[in-house]
Amino acid sequence: MLSALLIPMVPPRSRSPVSSPQLDLFGDAPTLVPKATGKPFELNDRQREAVEHVHGPMLVVAGAGTGKTTVLTQRIARLIREGHCRADEILAVTYTDNAAAELLQRVTKELGVGRTKDLKATTFHGFCYGILQRRGKAFRVIEPQDLWVYLRRRLPDLKLKYYTRAASPAQFLDSLLDFFDNCHDELKTADDYESYLAALELGKHPLPRVTRSKDADKLTPVEVLARCREIACAFRTVETMLERDGLGTFGHMLLRAMQLLRAEPKALAAERAGTRFILIDEFQDSNIAQIELAQTLAGDEGNIFAVGDPDQAIYRFRGASSAAFEEFASRFPQTKSVTLDRNQRSTSAILNCSYAVIGNNPPAVCRLGKSGQQFDRQPLTSDRDRRTRAEGKPVQPELVELVMVAGSEDEAADVGSEIERRLRQHGSASSQTPRIAVLYRQHNHRTALVRELAARGIPFRVEGLNALETAEVRDLLACLRSLHAPPDNASLFRVAALPIFKINAAEFREDLRAAGRQPDIASVLAQTPATAAVLKMVENARIEAAAANWQMAALVEIVIKRFGLDRAAPPVVAFREFVRKWAQKAITIAGDLKEFLEYMEYFPQAGGSIAFDQSITSDPADTVSLMTVHAAKGLEFDHVFVVRANANSFPTNYKEKLFEMPQAMRDPRCLAPGDGPELHKQEERRLFYVAMTRARDSLAICGRVKGKNPKPSGFVRELTESHVAHPGWRERPADAKIELAAAAEANPASGLGAWLLLPATPRALGGSLSATAIETYQLCPLKFKIQRDWNVPGEVAASLQFGAAVHQTLRDFFDAMLAARPRTREEFLRIFGQVMADTPFDDEHQRELYLRQGRAQLEQFFDVQAQAPPPAVISTEKTFEIEVEGVRIRGRIDRMDRVEGDRVAIIDYKTGAAKNEIDARTSLQLSIYAIAAREHWRVFPERLIFYNLETNEQVVGTREERELRTAKEKILDAARNIAAGHFEATPGFHCRSCGYYAMCPATEERLYSVGKVSAASLS
């Protein structure tokens, strides 16, 4: 019978660097918290049956905590000890480098160093790379993030038309690369896709989905085929580029190794000699390519021993699923099998609740070939409880706690209080500190919790900190960018705030405000001796950098020394090591500052991060672990808290792939042929099950209560509505009485945060407002403050530059019409081309895309205007300033047309995403224009129009008196909050597109110094 097993949901594709050919594909692999082994236990009957199996295929279905690592270890040791094979004839495949190292260590402990030195414990990819190396067919490995950067630099060569956008040229690069990876996971090449396309063009296959489902019906068959040709062209181009440059991806390791083994019988025979016995851990995470490789290596002997858990199949996007077990049995009809269902880790209460959750997934059924044997999901039994009963002691496990919280602060306070209680409880009863973990679905779920634990003095360690998001590394990067000529304003501003310069922030702010709109920071710094010291330091650093030939390793040390940065700070240490490795990357050419800064522009966009270890002063074993559930897989803790267990957080929302792998191209034995919201939810449920079964003694799950239903949405509600065997769970509200006297203090790292948090000047609290300014304040008050109070120029998005160019062209078009000298089509487009040529773009490819997009839109615009009666244009780009109950409002209207008499139409051009009728009815900007038309020009705004250049269509809105009153209330509300000095940041999804992201303290990883706390201090 199949055990109740764990399956976490597929995490976003990790693009973490890999240190060696023995590859760890998924960067969430745990590295800092070792597994607690507990007391040694004797092999039970089923474990012994698995260990003592020798020849032929065997499938071990091993539930959570049932001792699969012990079984693998003991089986390998027995094969060698009893002479069934030598160590060099064994291949033990795990899913990560860390797991391989742990397995090798445990076998060595059993047999001794001398008997395991030739044992191959590795990953599938690491083994395949070894095959290629041994045959002289190896390539330089390009990691996922670097492949993204490599192709981003060469986007024009991909000749994309449908799968690129001017506003974000690389928007679809992730989707294309994921598709190519999926092909490799099924051993499909660019040749295979081209053959599929040829058959598709002959009508032999149904048309695939090549865009989002909601847009699929809008495409004609001709358009679908055109997109397929673009995919085929991109696939071929990428493969050609990589082969030309001697590069290959992780997927190429399996693909090319299999191609070699199929083509060279001698190579296959040699590899088979070293893999007489194959053991595969985490078999549920294997895809078709990996199973095909294992079968090829096993040959007729078929000595494959696979261990896994269908309810822990978590990498569906890589082609893995619980169907791997049935595929194994199909390929090896003589498979013997055994189920491990005696959990050694958790209490019966935890296992009962975990089973109730995973039971909402479809049955995990596995039929084993000709034997007719079948596994079905059944509850795991607690061996801990069984042993307790055997000793004649009462079994009284703690009930699983379902904690109902109102929000993240409430949740953090409750978890902090409970951890304190656990530490006091264990401190008075034992010298051994309990192992405690807080698990979450996404890294941003930990923010309030980190602050809470720091305030309470509880030592903790965060897994997955990103050095790029710390103040220390942002300072370092700003210094490096300041050396590049000309330096950007944001970097110089950040450098000026460094403590080494001791600049008076209030005085510098006045200098910036006096410099006019869009000031040049370098010019402002040059005005006084105190601030000019920044420019002098930058120039001296440039001289040193030139002497070092601008090589990055030397540059980092120069900058750290000259600008007074902390060389030993953990994020800086990680960054220095990152730079050292970057210089050795396959895609690095010159290794100088210019190349590095370009790389760092793209690296975060590719999903890259720089992981580092948080500094702690206590023993790691005495430290609370904070990590994602993916990172916790394979670990165990005495006490586990799962936070943010409600819909939209855990489970996350489903995101459909841009285009599908054509069914006609897939291997008929494909393990994961489909996708969709329900399959996504099943994987999220398996991930939740993983989180639950990490707990040994106690488990608390926090879910937010919202709306009329008293239960959190998502899996907590499912648990409360399921039949749970006793003992099970209990429900309680969060302890709302908790109040902390002390606030958590983050380690000071940069002076910039202190600058931006200075009280606003009186001029920032008053002054005129615009619709854009009000909307900026509503989105993020701190962004408004940086613009208004500090007058710091932010990074101007390319979309805004394009928009300005189009607006300038349209103004000229209608001004010429007013002057009775209308533009010809050629003149109209030539003027746009001239304006675009004079507009600064950092990316020339993006300029070309916008030029192409703008020409197409304006050609259509001209044709529409030519076919319609000329509009009665009153004015273009007309500015105004009005007063709304004491608040001055300014603005500029793109165009105003006369309808009849004093009735007018106000037109606002939109060059970005098309606006709809709801936008036209609710826009504050159009409401302000309507108020201005009435009160400033004394005309009646009959129509308020968004003109969408993207579609060359108009959407029309109107305003009634009550709607204008609502708009005025919004204006007054914003003005009141501004006058009151409310400028708190509101971090969210919008931060990534903010021009002030790199200088905003609210988007930085907060680091805390928290040492070991005694139980007495918690009393």
Side-chain angles (χ1 to χ4, degrees):
M1 297 180 187
L2 185 69
S3 49
L5 327 172
L6 323 174
I7 318 182
M9 161 48 201
V10 179
R13 177 176 296 264
S14 168
R15 299 187 184 278
S16 301
V18 179
S19 58
S20 73
Q22 194 167 334
L23 298 167
D24 182 347
L25 280 185
F26 302 96
D28 268 330
T31 58
L32 299 175
V33 185
K35 180 182 290 187
T37 56
K39 294 181 180 180
F41 57 88
E42 296 293 328
L43 294 177
N44 59 43
D45 291 342
R46 292 185 179 179
Q47 289 173 330
R48 188 175 296 107
E49 180 183 351
V51 168
E52 292 178 355
H53 173 80
V54 179
H55 295 290
M58 171 167 265
L59 187 60
V60 179
V61 183
T66 56
K68 67 179 179 63
T69 305
T70 297
V71 166
L72 284 168
T73 302
Q74 294 298 323
R75 172 170 165 75
I76 294 172
R78 185 173 182 274
L79 287 173
I80 297 172
R81 187 187 294 120
E82 296 185 2
H84 297 291
C85 63
R86 300 187 308 271
D88 64 354
E89 295 177 311
I90 295 176
L91 170 63
V93 181
T94 67
Y95 208 62
T96 68
D97 285 338
N98 293 327
E102 180 187 352
L103 182 63
L104 182 59
Q105 183 180 26
R106 292 176 68 160
V107 176
T108 301
K109 187 176 180 181
E110 283 284 325
L111 296 177
V113 177
R115 303 188 68 181
T116 59
K117 63 183 180 68
D118 295 322
L119 175 64
K120 294 179 288 294
T122 182
T123 63
F124 273 115
H125 292 83
F127 180 73
C128 286
Y129 194 75
I131 292 176
L132 297 173
Q133 284 180 314
R134 289 188 285 277
R135 303 295 179 279
K137 299 292 181 67
F139 45 78
R140 290 181 296 165
V141 180
I142 187 168
E143 296 158 9
Q145 298 95 336
D146 291 344
L147 177 59
W148 196 98
V149 175
Y150 174 86
L151 294 176
R152 177 62 181 87
R153 292 169 174 169
R154 297 161 175 79
L155 267 184
D157 297 335
L158 297 184
K159 297 179 175 59
L160 300 176
K161 176 182 178 182
Y162 304 104
Y163 295 116
T164 188
R165 287 182 63 238
S168 179
Q171 178 176 340
F172 304 111
L173 201 49
D174 276 324
S175 296
L176 287 166
L177 293 180
D178 284 344
F179 177 77
F180 301 157
D181 280 347
N182 290 338
C183 288
H184 291 154
D185 290 339
E186 295 196 26
L187 302 177
K188 303 297 183 183
T189 65
D191 289 341
D192 294 316
Y193 189 80
E194 288 167 357
S195 297
Y196 159 77
L197 177 58
L200 184 68
E201 290 174 326
L202 294 174
K204 295 182 178 180
H205 303 305
L207 292 173
R209 179 176 62 79
V210 291
T211 187
R212 305 289 181 196
S213 293
K214 63 183 180 66
D215 300 320
D217 292 341
K218 301 175 185 177
L219 298 181
T220 66
V222 172
E223 291 171 323
V224 171
L225 287 172
R227 282 165 169 76
C228 289
R229 293 187 193 101
E230 182 161 298
I231 293 170
C233 178
F235 199 173
R236 173 63 65 191
T237 302
V238 170
E239 294 292 289
T240 301
M241 284 179 178
L242 293 176
E243 187 171 357
R244 178 196 64 205
D245 293 340
L247 303 173
T249 66
F250 296 155
H252 285 124
M253 293 177 181
L254 269 83
L255 175 67
R256 295 182 187 176
M258 280 299 300
Q259 289 174 333
L260 186 150
L261 295 177
R262 287 169 172 170
E264 300 183 19
K266 289 184 179 180
L268 175 58
E271 295 301 332
R272 281 178 172 172
T275 57
R276 286 189 53 230
F277 287 84
I278 301 172
L279 298 93
I280 306 174
D281 192 13
E282 304 288 4
F283 184 70
Q284 74 280 351
D285 295 331
S286 301
N287 58 35
I288 280 291
Q290 293 162 345
I291 296 175
E292 186 79 15
L293 172 68
Q295 184 180 22
T296 300
L297 291 171
D300 295 334
E301 286 189 79
N303 293 326
I304 296 186
F305 184 88
V307 182
D309 183 344
D311 279 339
Q312 293 191 73
I314 65 171
Y315 295 116
R316 185 177 182 84
F317 74 99
R318 296 290 299 180
S321 81
S322 57
F325 291 81
E326 198 154 348
E327 178 64 21
F328 184 96
S330 173
R331 289 175 181 252
F332 302 100
Q334 305 308 315
T335 294
K336 294 183 179 179
S337 58
V338 65
T339 300
L340 306 183
D341 58 6
R342 288 169 56 175
N343 180 282
Q344 310 296 324
R345 175 188 305 151
S346 306
T347 67
S348 54
I350 293 169
L351 296 177
N352 290 344
C353 291
S354 303
Y355 179 74
V357 169
I358 199 63
N360 286 285
N361 268 2
V365 176
C366 178
R367 295 175 180 82
L368 292 183
K370 296 180 179 179
S371 68
Q373 193 172 2
Q374 175 174 307
F375 294 102
D376 298 295
R377 180 188 295 122
Q378 296 292 331
L380 298 174
T381 60
S382 172
D383 243 23
R384 290 179 57 187
D385 287 2
R386 182 190 60 80
R387 289 194 297 269
T388 301
R389 289 192 191 91
E391 294 170 1
K393 299 176 182 178
V395 177
Q396 296 177 323
E398 281 192 48
L399 298 180
V400 172
E401 285 196 329
L402 307 182
V403 186
M404 309 302 161
V405 302
S408 58
E409 299 294 333
D410 187 31
E411 177 180 72
D414 186 86
V415 171
S417 175
E418 279 298 300
I419 290 175
E420 278 190 343
R421 185 180 69 81
R422 295 284 179 188
L423 293 173
R424 282 197 301 268
Q425 181 183 43
H426 282 263
S428 61
S430 169
S431 60
Q432 183 177 359
T433 305
R435 293 169 51 81
I436 300 174
V438 183
L439 308 181
Y440 34 81
R441 179 65 178 84
Q442 297 173 333
H443 290 297
N444 60 2
H445 293 169
R446 67 173 180 243
T447 305
L449 186 66
V450 166
R451 187 169 61 249
E452 184 73 25
L453 296 182
R456 293 175 181 273
I458 297 172
F460 63 90
R461 182 168 195 151
V462 179
E463 299 274 355
L465 285 171
N466 180 8
L468 291 177
E469 305 295 6
T470 63
E472 291 90 341
V473 172
R474 285 186 177 181
D475 286 344
L476 205 166
L477 278 168
C479 293
L480 289 169
R481 290 188 177 108
S482 72
L483 303 186
H484 186 66
D488 65 274
N489 282 312
S491 295
L492 267 184
F493 181 64
R494 189 171 190 107
V495 171
L498 290 173
I500 192 174
F501 297 111
K502 300 179 181 178
I503 291 176
N504 185 299
E507 292 177 1
F508 186 56
R509 177 169 57 180
E510 290 303 311
D511 293 340
L512 283 172
R513 289 178 59 84
R517 294 191 63 187
Q518 297 294 311
D520 177 62
I521 300 290
S523 299
V524 177
L525 286 170
Q527 293 175 5
T528 69
T531 54
V534 177
L535 300 179
K536 182 64 175 175
M537 182 75 78
V538 169
E539 184 56 35
N540 289 338
R542 282 178 181 155
I543 293 171
E544 265 194 271
N549 201 28
W550 296 96
Q551 292 301 293
M552 277 307 304
L555 247 61
V556 169
E557 300 305 324
I558 291 169
V559 162
I560 289 173
K561 182 178 180 180
R562 281 203 168 270
F563 291 91
L565 305 180
D566 183 0
R567 189 173 187 274
V572 175
V573 171
F575 183 80
R576 288 166 49 218
E577 177 64 11
F578 175 79
V579 170
R580 186 188 68 78
K581 291 181 178 179
W582 171 81
Q584 301 167 0
K585 284 180 178 289
I587 67 169
T588 301
I589 302 171
D592 59 12
L593 177 64
K594 181 180 179 182
E595 184 181 16
F596 181 75
L597 292 182
E598 182 207 42
Y599 180 85
M600 292 310 298
E601 183 72 21
Y602 295 143
F603 181 68
Q605 296 177 40
S609 63
I610 303 176
F612 73 98
D613 294 344
Q614 181 184 1
S615 178
I616 56 174
T617 56
S618 64
D619 186 326
D622 298 335
T623 303
V624 177
S625 298
L626 277 61
M627 63 180 72
T628 64
V629 183
H630 287 102
K633 186 172 184 286
L635 305 179
E636 59 183 55
F637 304 89
D638 297 314
H639 309 291
V640 169
F641 298 84
V642 181
V643 298
R644 296 289 284 269
N646 36 265
N648 303 327
S649 293
F650 197 175
T652 58
N653 292 324
Y654 168 68
K655 294 180 181 178
E656 183 184 57
K657 290 185 177 182
L658 181 62
F659 40 79
E660 64 183 356
M661 178 87 161
Q663 198 62 38
M665 186 181 166
R666 308 197 76 149
D667 190 306
R669 301 166 297 184
C670 171
L671 304 180
D675 194 14
E678 183 54 36
L679 290 173
H680 168 79
K681 189 173 183 179
Q682 290 171 18
E683 288 188 311
E684 288 285 284
R685 191 178 286 115
R686 294 191 289 262
L687 180 58
F688 194 70
Y689 178 71
V690 166
M692 296 175 74
T693 51
R694 300 308 92 200
R696 288 176 49 80
D697 301 329
S698 77
L699 171 65
I701 303 171
C702 301
R704 183 179 179 183
V705 177
K706 188 177 180 181
K708 296 181 180 179
N709 197 309
K711 309 291 185 186
S713 56
F715 302 137
V716 173
R717 188 178 298 175
E718 287 184 355
L719 178 57
T720 62
E721 294 173 353
S722 299
H723 173 73
V724 181
H726 181 77
W729 55 271
R730 75 181 184 94
E731 182 182 318
R732 68 170 176 84
D735 187 349
K737 297 179 181 179
I738 298 171
E739 294 182 4
L740 292 180
E745 292 295 333
N747 296 339
S750 167
L752 183 62
W755 279 24
L756 297 180
L757 297 178
L758 283 174
T761 60
R763 283 174 298 188
L765 303 178
S768 63
L769 297 173
S770 65
T772 300
I774 293 170
E775 289 168 348
T776 296
Y777 182 81
Q778 292 172 333
L779 183 67
C780 180
L782 182 59
K783 179 179 180 179
F784 174 90
K785 181 185 178 184
I786 295 172
Q787 291 176 333
R788 174 67 67 93
D789 199 32
W790 281 91
N791 197 30
V792 177
E795 182 182 342
V796 180
S799 59
L800 295 180
Q801 294 170 312
F802 168 68
V806 172
H807 276 72
Q808 187 175 336
T809 305
L810 292 175
R811 178 180 183 177
D812 175 88
F813 178 83
F814 286 106
D815 283 350
M817 183 182 293
L818 283 171
R821 295 193 300 272
R823 297 292 188 191
T824 65
R825 182 191 187 94
E826 291 71 23
E827 289 174 330
F828 183 50
L829 296 176
R830 177 173 50 78
I831 289 169
F832 172 67
Q834 291 173 345
V835 175
M836 284 291 289
D838 295 335
T839 301
F841 281 87
D842 293 332
D843 184 341
E844 284 303 315
H845 178 58
Q846 192 168 32
R847 182 200 299 275
E848 289 302 314
L849 290 176
Y850 267 127
L851 190 60
R852 186 170 69 191
Q853 174 181 311
R855 286 184 183 279
Q857 291 177 356
L858 293 177
E859 284 177 352
Q860 189 177 358
F861 176 87
F862 189 94
D863 292 342
V864 169
Q865 296 298 315
Q867 295 169 12
V873 179
I874 299 173
S875 63
T876 62
E877 301 286 337
K878 197 75 171 178
T879 60
F880 64 85
E881 186 164 315
I882 59 176
E883 195 169 286
V884 176
E885 297 186 29
V887 179
R888 283 182 295 135
I889 302 294
R890 54 185 164 74
R892 181 174 59 198
I893 295 176
D894 289 344
R895 193 176 107 212
M896 186 184 297
D897 294 354
R898 190 176 306 282
V899 177
E900 186 176 349
D902 65 350
R903 291 180 291 123
V904 300
I906 293 173
I907 297 95
D908 190 73
Y909 303 119
K910 292 301 175 186
T911 56
K915 300 288 185 179
N916 57 35
E917 292 182 1
I918 296 175
D919 296 323
R921 290 200 306 268
T922 59
S923 166
L924 177 64
Q925 181 183 40
L926 292 186
S927 294
I928 288 176
Y929 290 171
I931 294 170
R934 294 175 128 197
E935 299 182 7
H936 186 71
W937 288 292
R938 304 297 178 183
V939 293
F940 179 74
E942 183 174 286
R943 295 199 298 272
L944 302 169
I945 300 170
F946 277 140
Y947 195 113
N948 293 314
L949 271 299
E950 184 178 280
T951 59
N952 260 289
E953 295 175 340
Q954 301 181 27
V955 290
V956 182
T958 60
R959 292 296 184 274
E960 298 179 0
E961 286 295 335
R962 63 179 177 79
E963 293 170 320
L964 295 180
R965 285 196 301 271
T966 299
K968 290 180 178 181
E969 289 170 3
K970 289 181 179 179
I971 293 169
L972 296 175
D973 182 64
R976 281 192 294 267
N977 281 295
I978 291 168
H982 296 157
F983 296 112
E984 298 79 11
T986 55
F989 183 77
H990 56 271
C991 291
R992 289 292 176 178
S993 59
C994 177
Y996 300 101
Y997 179 83
M999 66 175 67
C1000 177
T1003 62
E1004 292 174 349
E1005 291 275 19
R1006 304 295 300 275
L1007 307 183
Y1008 298 85
S1009 291
V1010 182
K1012 183 175 181 179
V1013 179
S1014 67
S1017 70
L1018 297 172
S1019 303

